[in-house]
Amino acid sequence: MNAPVIPIQVLREPGAKPRRMTGERPVPPAALEEVGALLAGRPLRKDLLIEHLHAINDRHGQLRTDHLAALARLLRLSQVEVFEVASFYHHFEVVREGADGSYPVPAALTVRVCDGIACELAGAQDLLAKLPALLGTEVRVIAAPCIGRCEQAPAVAVHQHPIANATPATVQAAVVAKRTTHEPAAYVDLAAYRAAGGYATLRQCLGGERDVEGVIATMESSGLRGLGGAGFPAGRKWRIVRSQAAPRLMAVNIDEGEPGTFKDRHYLERDPHRFLEGLLIAAWAVGIDAVYVYLRDEYHGCRAILERELAALEANPPEGVTLPTLELRRGAGAYICGEESAMIESIEGKRGMPRLRPPYVAQVGLFGRPTLEHNFETLYWVRDILEKGGDWFASHGRNGRKGLRSFSVSGRVRKPGVHLAPAGITLRELVAEHCGGMQDGHALYAYLPGGASGGILPERLADVPLDFDTLQPHGCFIGSAAVVVLSDQDRATDVARNLMRFFEHESCGQCTPCRSGTEKVGELIASDRWDTGLLAELSQVMRDASICGLGQAAPNPVDCVVKYFPHELQAG
C-alpha cells in the first residue's frame, strides 16, 4: 500500500520521551526486542495500533502484557492506552503473567462455532455440545457471534478456515488435516476485469469525458441510497462532502457484522474490481486524498483478495489514472464498528466507540477531516449506474418502490443466499420467486426483514413491501436487507433471546442505557413470563437515551414479540 500523504497526527515532539503513568510495568528487554523485530520496517504510528496488535496476536496466539508494554514504548503511548484498545476487541486475547512470571500457553487451535440466529436454527448448539470431546483438549472450541456466513449455516471457523454447513465430522476432518487458512475461490481478477471493459468509466471521468456535476447528478437521479443500512442518498452525500474544505478522506465500511448479513462478502469474493472502480470514481468526484477500507476480521479470504488486487492495481493502474492513497485496515471482532463513527475511531487506532453528533463525519470525520463514509455495496453499483444511467437503476422496483436490493436470505428456505430482487418485493414473493420456497416440512411463521436489529414480523405481514421507509409503520426496518425466515417449528421468543444475547455481548459499554439495558432486557425475557410493562419502559429509555443505533434498535425484537406474538408468552 502507499504511505499516507496526509499528516495524520503528531504523536510526540521529536525526541520527546513516551508518557509514563505512575505504576506502569517495566518493559522487559526481551519483550522489547521481540516486538521490535516483529514490527521492523512498519510505520510506528498510533493509528496503526490495531494493525500492530494483530501482528503480535497472529505470531504468538495471544497478547501478553509484557508485549503490550513493549508496544506502548515503541509507539510512545502510555501502557493504558494500548491495553484499553487491546482488551476492547473480541479477537484479541490479553493474558497476564502468573505468579512465577510465566505466561499461559495459548491453545494450539481455536474453533469458532457461530451461534448467530441462522446458525442456531441449523444446529449450532449441537455442534458446541459435541465438538470439545471430539477434538480433544488441545483444541479450544468457543461460541462466536455471527461470522457472516448465514447462508452456510451452521458455519464454523477453524482458525481462519471457514466450514460451510458444518457437521462434527467435517470440522474434525479440517482439524486433522490442519486446514486453518482460507484460500479464496476463483474470482474476476484485474486482467479479466479489464478485458471485460473494466475501468473504462473511471478513465472517462479522469480524462474529461465525464464531468463531476454530471456524475453526481446521475447518482442522484438513480435514487441509490446507502446499502449498509442507514439509507442516506448516495449522490447527496457526495455533494455534501465535496462542499467541505480539503483535504477530504474516505472510509469504506466492510465490517458487515449484522447477524443475517453476508451480501458484501458475496460480491467481494466474486468481483472485487467492480467495487474498487466505484470507490475510485467516488474518490475522484468528491476530491478525496486518501481512502481507508475497513474489513471485518472474519473475512480472511476477502482480505487476501483485496491485498492481492490492490497490489496489482497499484503496480499497473489504468492508463492516465493516478490512484489516491489506499489503506486496508483489519477489524478485530466488534459489531459496533459497523457504526460509521465507531469505525472511524477504530481506524484511528482507538476503541470502537461511537461519537456524539453533531458534528457529523461528513464534516469532522477521520483524523478531524471531512470524510465520505460508504458501505461496500453502495460503491459496487456506481459503475453500472454511470454506464446504464440513473433511470436504469430507478426503473427496477415493485409495489411502487424504485431500485434493486441485494437480499441476504437465510433460515428456513430451500435456497438461502444473496438474491438480487426489485426494491419493494414482499417477503412472500421473495421466498417463492428467488428462494425456492420454504424447506420441506416447514410453513412460514415469521421473518426478520432487516437482520438482528430490524425486528420480527409475523406471517400475516409477509405482503408488506421490503424497502426503506415501508416497514417503520410496523415497528421494523430493512437495514442492510438481511432477511431471516422462520417457520412453524420456531419460536419468536427464542429468536429474541438469541438476538438480545448478541446485543449484550456487542455493546461497547460507553452509554448506560445500552450497556445496562441490554443486560436487563436479557434477564427479563429469560423465561416465557415477561413483565411487558417494565420491558416497554426500558425499551423507551434505550431508544431515547442510547448514543448510537445499537442501543436504540436493540429492543426491536422484544417489542415485536410483545406486539405480534403474545400467544408465545405466559400470563402473569
Side-chain angles (χ1 to χ4, degrees):
M1 308 294 172
N2 294 333
V5 295
I6 295 177
I8 291 181
Q9 57 191 116
V10 177
L11 300 179
R12 299 286 180 270
E13 292 297 324
K17 295 181 179 180
R19 283 183 283 174
R20 175 136 186 187
M21 299 182 67
T22 304
E24 281 196 345
R25 66 170 52 242
V27 182
L32 190 63
E33 183 177 350
E34 286 178 344
V35 175
L38 181 60
L39 301 184
R42 302 180 185 224
L44 296 179
R45 305 194 318 254
K46 178 180 178 181
D47 66 291
L48 292 172
L49 171 57
I50 294 171
E51 297 296 311
H52 297 329
L53 290 171
H54 272 303
I56 298 170
N57 199 63
D58 289 347
R59 173 67 62 85
H60 297 282
Q62 59 190 11
L63 295 176
R64 294 171 9 192
T65 48
D66 61 339
H67 285 156
L68 295 180
L71 181 59
R73 172 75 61 84
L74 291 170
L75 295 182
R76 296 183 176 180
L77 299 172
S78 68
Q79 290 180 21
V80 70
E81 288 177 277
V82 174
F83 183 86
E84 71 176 7
V85 173
S87 59
F88 179 85
Y89 294 92
H90 301 314
H91 290 184
F92 294 144
E93 183 179 5
V94 178
V95 296
R96 301 176 184 274
E97 73 270 31
D100 61 354
S102 65
Y103 287 89
V105 177
L109 187 64
T110 296
V111 172
R112 288 182 167 85
V113 179
C114 176
D115 66 354
I117 185 57
C119 290
E120 184 167 281
L121 293 176
Q125 295 305 320
D126 185 58
L127 283 172
L128 284 166
K130 293 178 178 178
L131 286 177
L134 187 65
L135 301 179
T137 57
E138 292 188 359
V139 177
R140 182 177 64 159
V141 178
I142 61 174
C146 181
I147 62 174
R149 296 184 175 273
C150 315
E151 86 282 24
Q152 303 170 4
V156 170
V158 177
H159 188 45
Q160 298 177 359
H161 176 66
I163 300 177
N165 310 116
T167 65
T170 58
V171 176
Q172 184 182 37
V175 170
V176 171
K178 298 182 179 179
R179 291 197 296 271
T180 58
T181 58
H182 184 201
E183 182 62 27
Y187 62 89
V188 180
D189 64 9
L190 178 59
Y193 186 74
R194 278 182 170 165
Y199 291 109
T201 304
L202 174 64
R203 289 198 303 270
Q204 291 170 3
C205 292
L206 295 177
E209 296 178 53
R210 296 176 182 266
D211 62 88
V212 170
E213 178 56 36
V215 166
I216 295 179
T218 299
M219 293 297 296
E220 290 174 327
S221 69
S222 73
L224 179 68
R225 296 171 66 170
L227 297 173
F232 193 86
R236 189 192 309 172
K237 182 182 286 189
W238 291 16
R239 196 176 294 282
I240 290 171
V241 179
R242 182 176 172 81
S243 70
Q244 304 296 311
R248 310 175 196 95
L249 306 180
M250 184 174 178
V252 182
N253 189 340
I254 324 181
D255 194 56
E256 195 173 45
E258 180 78 11
T261 307
F262 47 91
K263 61 182 177 62
D264 293 350
R265 173 184 59 79
H266 172 89
Y267 289 127
L268 181 50
E269 288 177 336
R270 289 159 175 79
D271 198 358
H273 285 280
R274 189 170 299 270
F275 151 69
L276 290 173
E277 183 169 7
L279 178 157
L280 293 171
I281 291 170
W284 163 80
V286 179
I288 298 297
D289 291 83
V291 180
Y292 298 80
V293 178
Y294 190 88
L295 179 68
R296 71 177 303 191
D297 194 30
E298 290 86 348
Y299 288 176
H300 299 281
C302 291
R303 187 167 65 252
I305 289 173
L306 280 175
E307 288 174 344
R308 188 177 303 162
E309 296 309 310
L310 281 171
L313 187 62
E314 291 177 345
N316 186 21
E319 184 180 354
V321 174
T322 301
L323 300 177
T325 296
L326 292 166
E327 287 204 24
L328 178 59
R329 294 299 181 88
R330 181 178 172 185
Y335 166 69
I336 191 63
C337 290
E339 196 276 339
E340 62 176 7
S341 64
M343 176 186 67
I344 284 172
E345 290 285 297
S346 189
I347 292 172
E348 292 181 355
K350 306 172 188 174
R351 294 175 293 171
M353 289 191 166
R355 297 175 178 177
L356 290 170
R357 287 168 285 187
Y360 298 95
V361 299
Q363 304 163 309
V364 182
L366 264 171
F367 311 116
R369 301 308 311 162
T371 302
L372 177 67
E373 191 275 342
H374 262 318
N375 166 260
F376 169 92
E377 195 200 351
T378 311
L379 296 169
Y380 184 87
W381 286 110
V382 169
R383 174 190 164 186
D384 279 337
I385 288 172
L386 294 181
E387 288 182 354
K388 300 175 183 178
D391 292 342
W392 164 80
F393 189 81
S395 69
H396 295 83
R398 192 176 291 185
N399 298 311
R401 311 303 297 178
K402 294 182 178 182
L404 291 165
R405 294 288 174 271
S406 299
F407 292 93
S408 304
V409 185
S410 60
R412 308 297 193 180
V413 295
R414 285 198 181 100
K415 291 170 55 181
V418 174
H419 298 289
L420 185 62
I425 194 172
T426 69
L427 185 280
R428 206 180 307 278
E429 293 168 338
L430 181 65
V431 170
E433 298 174 22
H434 296 270
C435 304
M438 299 292 292
Q439 292 176 357
D440 292 342
H442 292 263
L444 179 61
Y445 174 63
Y447 67 103
L448 283 64
S453 55
I456 310 172
L457 291 175
E459 179 275 338
R460 64 182 175 84
L461 292 177
D463 297 310
V464 175
L466 297 174
D467 197 14
F468 297 113
D469 311 321
T470 60
L471 296 160
Q472 280 84 340
H474 305 285
C476 296
F477 56 80
I478 194 171
S480 58
V483 176
V484 184
V485 180
L486 309 177
S487 80
D488 54 353
Q489 298 185 27
D490 306 314
R491 283 162 42 92
T493 48
D494 292 335
V495 172
R497 292 186 191 103
N498 176 287
L499 302 179
M500 194 51 63
R501 285 196 301 271
F502 172 80
F503 290 132
E504 180 182 351
H505 181 264
E506 295 298 324
S507 173
C508 74
Q510 180 177 191
C511 66
T512 302
C514 178
R515 180 183 65 248
S516 299
T518 52
E519 179 182 6
K520 184 62 177 177
V521 171
E523 295 172 359
L524 291 171
I525 66 173
S527 72
D528 285 343
R529 194 181 299 276
W530 293 8
D531 185 336
T532 56
L534 183 56
L535 283 169
E537 292 181 16
L538 186 53
S539 171
Q540 195 62 53
V541 170
M542 293 175 68
R543 294 179 188 281
D544 291 345
S546 294
I547 289 175
C548 81
L550 192 157
Q552 294 162 11
N556 280 347
V558 172
D559 290 350
C560 285
V561 169
V562 174
K563 183 176 181 179
Y564 297 118
F565 306 92
H567 55 279
E568 293 191 17
L569 304 176
Q570 296 176 4

Coordinates of all heavy atoms in Angstrom, one line a residue, residues 482-548:
A482 N -31.1 -7.9 5.4 CA -30.8 -9.2 5.8 C -32.1 -9.9 6.3 O -32.6 -9.5 7.3 CB -29.8 -9.2 7.0
V483 N -32.5 -10.9 5.5 CA -33.8 -11.5 5.8 C -33.6 -12.9 6.4 O -32.9 -13.7 5.8 CB -34.7 -11.6 4.5 CG1 -36.0 -12.3 4.8 CG2 -34.9 -10.2 4.0
V484 N -34.1 -13.1 7.6 CA -34.1 -14.5 8.2 C -35.5 -15.0 8.3 O -36.4 -14.4 8.9 CB -33.4 -14.4 9.6 CG1 -33.3 -15.8 10.2 CG2 -32.1 -13.7 9.5
V485 N -35.7 -16.1 7.6 CA -37.1 -16.7 7.5 C -37.3 -17.8 8.6 O -36.5 -18.7 8.7 CB -37.3 -17.3 6.1 CG1 -38.7 -17.9 6.0 CG2 -37.1 -16.2 5.1
L486 N -38.4 -17.6 9.4 CA -38.7 -18.6 10.4 C -39.9 -19.4 10.1 O -40.8 -18.9 9.3 CB -39.0 -17.8 11.7 CG -37.9 -16.8 12.2 CD1 -38.4 -16.0 13.4 CD2 -36.6 -17.4 12.4
S487 N -40.0 -20.6 10.6 CA -41.1 -21.5 10.2 C -41.9 -21.8 11.5 O -41.6 -21.3 12.6 CB -40.6 -22.8 9.6 OG -40.1 -23.7 10.7
D488 N -42.9 -22.6 11.3 CA -43.8 -23.0 12.4 C -43.1 -23.9 13.4 O -43.7 -24.3 14.4 CB -45.1 -23.7 11.8 CG -44.8 -24.9 10.9 OD1 -43.6 -25.0 10.5 OD2 -45.7 -25.6 10.5
Q489 N -41.9 -24.3 13.1 CA -41.1 -25.1 14.1 C -40.2 -24.2 14.9 O -39.4 -24.7 15.7 CB -40.3 -26.1 13.3 CG -41.1 -27.1 12.5 CD -40.3 -28.2 11.9 OE1 -39.2 -28.5 12.4 NE2 -40.8 -28.8 10.8
D490 N -40.3 -22.9 14.8 CA -39.5 -21.9 15.5 C -40.4 -21.1 16.4 O -41.6 -21.0 16.2 CB -38.7 -21.0 14.6 CG -37.9 -21.7 13.6 OD1 -37.2 -22.7 14.0 OD2 -38.0 -21.4 12.4
R491 N -39.8 -20.4 17.4 CA -40.5 -19.5 18.3 C -39.9 -18.2 18.3 O -38.6 -18.1 18.4 CB -40.5 -20.1 19.8 CG -41.4 -21.3 20.0 CD -41.1 -22.0 21.3 NE -40.7 -21.2 22.4 CZ -41.5 -20.7 23.3 NH1 -42.8 -21.1 23.3 NH2 -41.1 -20.0 24.3
A492 N -40.7 -17.2 18.2 CA -40.1 -15.8 18.2 C -39.5 -15.4 19.5 O -38.5 -14.6 19.5 CB -41.3 -14.8 17.9
T493 N -39.9 -16.0 20.6 CA -39.3 -15.7 21.9 C -37.9 -16.2 21.9 O -37.0 -15.5 22.5 CB -40.1 -16.3 23.0 OG1 -40.4 -17.7 22.7 CG2 -41.4 -15.6 23.3
D494 N -37.6 -17.4 21.4 CA -36.3 -17.9 21.3 C -35.4 -17.1 20.5 O -34.2 -16.8 20.8 CB -36.3 -19.4 20.8 CG -37.0 -20.4 21.7 OD1 -37.0 -20.1 23.0 OD2 -37.5 -21.4 21.2
V495 N -35.9 -16.6 19.4 CA -35.2 -15.7 18.5 C -34.8 -14.4 19.2 O -33.6 -14.0 19.1 CB -36.0 -15.4 17.2 CG1 -35.2 -14.4 16.3 CG2 -36.2 -16.7 16.4
A496 N -35.7 -13.8 19.9 CA -35.5 -12.6 20.6 C -34.4 -12.8 21.7 O -33.5 -11.9 21.9 CB -36.8 -12.1 21.3
R497 N -34.4 -14.0 22.4 CA -33.3 -14.2 23.4 C -32.0 -14.3 22.7 O -31.0 -13.8 23.2 CB -33.7 -15.5 24.1 CG -34.9 -15.4 25.0 CD -35.1 -16.7 25.9 NE -36.4 -16.6 26.5 CZ -37.5 -17.3 26.1 NH1 -37.4 -18.1 25.0 NH2 -38.6 -17.2 26.7
N498 N -31.9 -15.0 21.6 CA -30.6 -15.1 20.9 C -30.1 -13.7 20.5 O -28.9 -13.4 20.6 CB -30.8 -16.0 19.6 CG -29.6 -16.1 18.7 OD1 -29.2 -15.1 18.0 ND2 -28.9 -17.2 18.7
L499 N -31.0 -12.9 19.9 CA -30.6 -11.6 19.5 C -30.2 -10.7 20.6 O -29.2 -9.9 20.5 CB -31.7 -10.9 18.6 CG -32.2 -11.7 17.4 CD1 -33.3 -11.0 16.7 CD2 -31.0 -12.0 16.5
M500 N -30.9 -10.8 21.7 CA -30.5 -9.9 22.9 C -29.2 -10.4 23.5 O -28.4 -9.5 24.0 CB -31.6 -10.0 23.9 CG -31.5 -8.9 25.0 SD -31.3 -7.2 24.3 CE -32.9 -7.0 23.4
R501 N -28.9 -11.6 23.5 CA -27.6 -12.1 23.9 C -26.5 -11.5 23.1 O -25.4 -11.0 23.5 CB -27.5 -13.6 23.9 CG -28.2 -14.3 25.0 CD -27.7 -15.8 25.1 NE -27.9 -16.5 23.8 CZ -29.0 -17.2 23.5 NH1 -30.0 -17.2 24.4 NH2 -29.1 -17.9 22.4
F502 N -26.8 -11.4 21.8 CA -25.8 -10.8 20.8 C -25.6 -9.3 21.2 O -24.5 -8.8 21.2 CB -26.3 -11.0 19.4 CG -25.5 -10.2 18.4 CD1 -24.3 -10.7 17.9 CD2 -26.0 -9.0 17.9 CE1 -23.6 -10.0 17.0 CE2 -25.2 -8.3 16.9 CZ -24.0 -8.8 16.5
F503 N -26.7 -8.6 21.3 CA -26.6 -7.1 21.6 C -25.9 -6.9 22.9 O -25.1 -5.9 23.0 CB -28.0 -6.5 21.6 CG -28.6 -6.4 20.3 CD1 -30.0 -6.8 20.1 CD2 -28.0 -5.9 19.2 CE1 -30.6 -6.8 18.9 CE2 -28.6 -5.9 17.9 CZ -29.9 -6.3 17.8
E504 N -26.2 -7.7 23.9 CA -25.5 -7.5 25.2 C -24.0 -7.7 25.0 O -23.1 -7.0 25.6 CB -26.0 -8.5 26.2 CG -25.4 -8.4 27.6 CD -25.9 -9.4 28.6 OE1 -26.9 -10.0 28.3 OE2 -25.3 -9.5 29.7
H505 N -23.6 -8.8 24.3 CA -22.2 -9.1 24.1 C -21.5 -8.0 23.3 O -20.3 -7.7 23.5 CB -22.1 -10.4 23.3 CG -20.7 -10.9 23.0 ND1 -20.1 -10.7 21.9 CD2 -19.9 -11.6 23.8 CE1 -18.9 -11.2 21.9 NE2 -18.7 -11.8 23.1
E506 N -22.2 -7.4 22.3 CA -21.6 -6.5 21.4 C -21.7 -5.0 21.8 O -21.1 -4.1 21.2 CB -22.1 -6.6 20.0 CG -21.9 -8.0 19.4 CD -20.4 -8.2 19.2 OE1 -19.6 -7.3 18.9 OE2 -19.9 -9.4 19.4
S507 N -22.4 -4.7 22.9 CA -22.5 -3.3 23.3 C -21.1 -2.8 23.7 O -20.3 -3.5 24.4 CB -23.4 -3.2 24.6 OG -23.3 -1.9 25.1
C508 N -20.7 -1.6 23.2 CA -19.4 -1.1 23.5 C -19.2 -0.7 25.0 O -18.1 -0.5 25.4 CB -19.1 0.0 22.6 SG -19.9 1.6 23.0
G509 N -20.4 -0.5 25.7 CA -20.3 -0.1 27.1 C -20.2 1.3 27.4 O -20.1 1.7 28.5
Q510 N -20.2 2.2 26.3 CA -20.0 3.6 26.5 C -21.1 4.2 27.2 O -20.9 5.1 28.1 CB -19.7 4.3 25.2 CG -19.5 5.8 25.3 CD -19.2 6.4 24.0 OE1 -18.8 7.6 23.9 NE2 -19.4 5.7 22.9
C511 N -22.4 3.9 26.9 CA -23.5 4.6 27.5 C -24.3 3.6 28.3 O -24.6 2.4 27.9 CB -24.4 5.3 26.4 SG -25.2 4.2 25.3
T512 N -24.8 4.0 29.5 CA -25.6 3.2 30.4 C -26.8 2.6 29.8 O -27.1 1.4 30.1 CB -25.9 4.0 31.7 OG1 -24.6 4.5 32.2 CG2 -26.6 3.1 32.7
P513 N -27.7 3.4 29.1 CA -28.9 2.8 28.6 C -28.7 1.5 27.7 O -29.4 0.5 27.8 CB -29.5 3.9 27.7 CG -29.0 5.1 28.3 CD -27.6 4.8 28.7
C514 N -27.6 1.5 26.9 CA -27.3 0.3 26.1 C -26.6 -0.7 27.0 O -27.0 -1.9 27.0 CB -26.5 0.7 24.9 SG -26.0 -0.7 23.9
R515 N -25.6 -0.4 27.7 CA -24.8 -1.3 28.4 C -25.6 -2.1 29.5 O -25.6 -3.3 29.5 CB -23.6 -0.6 29.2 CG -22.7 -1.5 30.0 CD -21.7 -0.7 30.7 NE -22.3 0.2 31.7 CZ -22.3 1.5 31.7 NH1 -21.7 2.2 30.6 NH2 -22.8 2.3 32.6
S516 N -26.3 -1.3 30.3 CA -27.2 -2.0 31.3 C -28.5 -2.4 30.7 O -29.1 -3.4 31.2 CB -27.4 -1.0 32.5 OG -26.2 -0.6 33.0
G517 N -29.0 -1.7 29.7 CA -30.3 -2.0 29.2 C -30.4 -3.4 28.5 O -31.3 -4.2 28.7
T518 N -29.3 -3.7 27.7 CA -29.3 -5.0 27.0 C -29.2 -6.1 28.0 O -29.9 -7.2 27.9 CB -28.2 -5.1 26.0 OG1 -26.9 -4.7 26.7 CG2 -28.4 -4.1 24.9
E519 N -28.4 -5.9 29.1 CA -28.3 -7.0 30.1 C -29.6 -7.2 30.9 O -30.1 -8.3 31.1 CB -27.2 -6.6 31.1 CG -27.0 -7.5 32.3 CD -26.0 -7.1 33.2 OE1 -25.5 -6.0 33.1 OE2 -25.7 -7.9 34.2
K520 N -30.3 -6.1 31.2 CA -31.5 -6.2 32.0 C -32.6 -6.8 31.1 O -33.4 -7.6 31.6 CB -32.0 -4.8 32.4 CG -33.2 -4.8 33.3 CD -33.0 -5.6 34.6 CE -34.2 -5.5 35.5 NZ -34.0 -6.3 36.7
V521 N -32.7 -6.4 29.8 CA -33.7 -7.0 29.0 C -33.5 -8.5 28.9 O -34.4 -9.3 28.9 CB -33.7 -6.4 27.6 CG1 -34.6 -7.1 26.6 CG2 -34.2 -4.9 27.6
G522 N -32.2 -8.9 28.7 CA -31.9 -10.3 28.7 C -32.4 -11.1 29.9 O -33.0 -12.2 29.8
E523 N -32.3 -10.5 31.1 CA -32.8 -11.1 32.3 C -34.3 -11.2 32.3 O -34.9 -12.2 32.7 CB -32.3 -10.3 33.5 CG -30.8 -10.3 33.7 CD -30.4 -9.4 34.8 OE1 -31.3 -8.7 35.4 OE2 -29.2 -9.3 35.1
L524 N -35.0 -10.1 31.8 CA -36.5 -10.1 31.9 C -37.1 -11.0 30.9 O -38.3 -11.4 31.1 CB -36.9 -8.6 31.6 CG -36.6 -7.6 32.6 CD1 -36.9 -6.2 32.1 CD2 -37.4 -7.9 33.9
I525 N -36.4 -11.4 29.8 CA -37.0 -12.3 28.8 C -36.5 -13.8 28.9 O -36.7 -14.6 28.0 CB -36.8 -11.8 27.4 CG1 -35.4 -11.8 27.0 CG2 -37.4 -10.4 27.3 CD1 -35.1 -11.5 25.5
A526 N -35.8 -14.1 30.0 CA -35.2 -15.4 30.2 C -36.2 -16.5 30.2 O -36.0 -17.6 29.7 CB -34.3 -15.5 31.4
S527 N -37.4 -16.2 30.7 CA -38.5 -17.2 30.7 C -39.6 -16.7 29.8 O -39.5 -15.6 29.2 CB -39.0 -17.4 32.2 OG -39.7 -16.3 32.6
D528 N -40.7 -17.5 29.7 CA -41.8 -17.1 28.9 C -42.8 -16.2 29.6 O -43.8 -15.8 29.1 CB -42.5 -18.3 28.4 CG -41.8 -19.0 27.2 OD1 -40.9 -18.4 26.7 OD2 -42.1 -20.2 27.0
R529 N -42.5 -15.8 30.9 CA -43.3 -14.9 31.6 C -42.7 -13.6 31.6 O -41.7 -13.3 32.4 CB -43.5 -15.5 33.1 CG -44.7 -14.8 33.8 CD -44.8 -15.3 35.3 NE -45.1 -16.7 35.2 CZ -46.3 -17.3 35.1 NH1 -47.3 -16.4 35.0 NH2 -46.5 -18.6 35.1
W530 N -43.1 -12.7 30.8 CA -42.5 -11.4 30.6 C -43.3 -10.3 31.3 O -44.5 -10.2 31.2 CB -42.4 -11.0 29.1 CG -41.4 -11.9 28.3 CD1 -40.8 -13.0 28.8 CD2 -41.0 -11.7 27.0 NE1 -40.0 -13.5 27.8 CE2 -40.1 -12.7 26.7 CE3 -41.3 -10.7 26.0 CZ2 -39.5 -12.8 25.4 CZ3 -40.7 -10.8 24.8 CH2 -39.8 -11.9 24.5
D531 N -42.5 -9.4 32.0 CA -43.1 -8.2 32.5 C -43.2 -7.1 31.4 O -42.3 -6.3 31.2 CB -42.3 -7.7 33.7 CG -42.9 -6.5 34.4 OD1 -43.8 -5.8 33.8 OD2 -42.6 -6.2 35.6
T532 N -44.2 -7.2 30.6 CA -44.3 -6.3 29.4 C -44.3 -4.9 29.7 O -43.8 -4.1 28.9 CB -45.5 -6.7 28.6 OG1 -46.7 -6.6 29.4 CG2 -45.4 -8.2 28.1
G533 N -44.9 -4.5 30.8 CA -44.9 -3.0 31.2 C -43.5 -2.5 31.4 O -43.1 -1.5 31.0
L534 N -42.7 -3.3 32.2 CA -41.4 -2.9 32.5 C -40.5 -2.9 31.3 O -39.7 -2.0 31.0 CB -40.8 -3.8 33.6 CG -39.4 -3.5 34.1 CD1 -39.3 -2.1 34.6 CD2 -38.9 -4.5 35.2
L535 N -40.7 -3.9 30.4 CA -40.0 -4.0 29.2 C -40.3 -2.8 28.3 O -39.4 -2.3 27.6 CB -40.3 -5.3 28.4 CG -39.7 -6.6 28.9 CD1 -40.3 -7.8 28.3 CD2 -38.2 -6.6 28.7
A536 N -41.5 -2.4 28.2 CA -41.9 -1.2 27.4 C -41.2 0.1 27.9 O -40.7 0.9 27.1 CB -43.4 -1.0 27.4
E537 N -41.1 0.2 29.3 CA -40.4 1.4 29.8 C -38.9 1.4 29.5 O -38.3 2.4 29.1 CB -40.6 1.4 31.3 CG -42.0 1.7 31.8 CD -42.2 1.8 33.3 OE1 -41.1 1.9 34.0 OE2 -43.3 1.7 33.8
L538 N -38.3 0.2 29.7 CA -36.9 0.0 29.4 C -36.6 0.3 27.9 O -35.6 0.9 27.6 CB -36.5 -1.4 29.8 CG -35.0 -1.7 29.8 CD1 -34.1 -0.7 30.5 CD2 -34.7 -3.1 30.3
S539 N -37.5 -0.2 27.1 CA -37.3 0.0 25.6 C -37.3 1.5 25.3 O -36.5 1.9 24.5 CB -38.4 -0.7 24.9 OG -38.4 -0.4 23.5
Q540 N -38.2 2.2 25.9 CA -38.3 3.6 25.6 C -37.0 4.4 26.0 O -36.5 5.2 25.3 CB -39.5 4.2 26.2 CG -39.9 5.6 25.7 CD -40.2 5.6 24.2 OE1 -41.1 4.8 23.8 NE2 -39.6 6.4 23.4
V541 N -36.5 4.0 27.2 CA -35.3 4.6 27.7 C -34.1 4.3 26.8 O -33.3 5.2 26.4 CB -35.0 4.1 29.1 CG1 -33.6 4.6 29.5 CG2 -36.0 4.7 30.1
M542 N -34.0 3.1 26.3 CA -32.9 2.7 25.4 C -33.0 3.5 24.1 O -32.0 3.9 23.6 CB -32.9 1.2 25.2 CG -32.6 0.4 26.4 SD -32.7 -1.4 26.2 CE -31.4 -1.7 25.1
R543 N -34.2 3.6 23.6 CA -34.4 4.3 22.3 C -34.1 5.8 22.4 O -33.5 6.4 21.6 CB -35.8 4.1 21.8 CG -36.2 2.7 21.4 CD -37.6 2.6 20.9 NE -38.0 1.2 20.7 CZ -37.7 0.5 19.7 NH1 -37.0 1.0 18.7 NH2 -38.1 -0.8 19.6
D544 N -34.5 6.4 23.6 CA -34.3 7.8 23.7 C -32.9 8.2 24.1 O -32.5 9.3 23.8 CB -35.3 8.3 24.8 CG -36.8 8.3 24.3 OD1 -37.0 8.1 23.1 OD2 -37.7 8.3 25.2
A545 N -32.2 7.4 24.9 CA -31.0 7.9 25.5 C -29.7 7.2 25.1 O -28.6 7.6 25.4 CB -31.1 7.7 27.0
S546 N -29.8 6.1 24.3 CA -28.6 5.5 23.8 C -27.9 6.4 22.8 O -28.5 7.1 22.0 CB -28.9 4.1 23.1 OG -29.4 3.2 24.1
I547 N -26.6 6.3 22.7 CA -25.8 7.2 21.9 C -26.0 6.8 20.4 O -26.0 7.6 19.5 CB -24.3 7.1 22.3 CG1 -24.1 7.9 23.6 CG2 -23.4 7.7 21.2 CD1 -22.7 7.8 24.2
C548 N -26.0 5.5 20.1 CA -26.0 5.1 18.7 C -27.1 4.0 18.4 O -27.9 3.7 19.3 CB -24.6 4.5 18.3 SG -24.4 2.7 18.8

